[in-house]
């Protein structure tokens, strides 16, 4: 999604890379939160780490 937005905004590669990395990190946090909720809440995160 970040690369699509960078393409639409005509961002050069040097400015697009941090935006893409931030998008990937954000997606990872969202998926972690959804997985934790589906598997028993915050207890899941603290027992796995």
């Amino acid at each position: 999604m970040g690369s699509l937005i960078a393409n639409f905004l005509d961002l050069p590669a040097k400015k697009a890379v941090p935006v893409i990395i931030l998008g990937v990190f954000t997606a990872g946090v969202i998926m972690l939160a959804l997985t934790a909720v589906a598997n028993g809440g915050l207890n899941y995160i603290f027992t796995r780490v």
Side-chain angles (χ1 to χ4, degrees), residues 13-27:
K14 286 186 179 182
K15 289 187 178 182
V17 169
V19 175
I20 293 169
I21 291 171
L22 182 62
V24 170
F25 178 75
T26 304

Side-chain angles (χ1 to χ4, degrees), residues 20-36 45:
I20 293 169
I21 291 171
L22 182 62
V24 170
F25 178 75
T26 304
V29 170
I30 290 169
M31 292 308 298
L32 175 65
L34 291 174
T35 302
I45 293 175

Side-chain angles (χ1 to χ4, degrees), residues 8 11-12 16 29 31 40-41 49:
F8 282 140
L11 291 176
V29 170
M31 292 308 298
V49 174

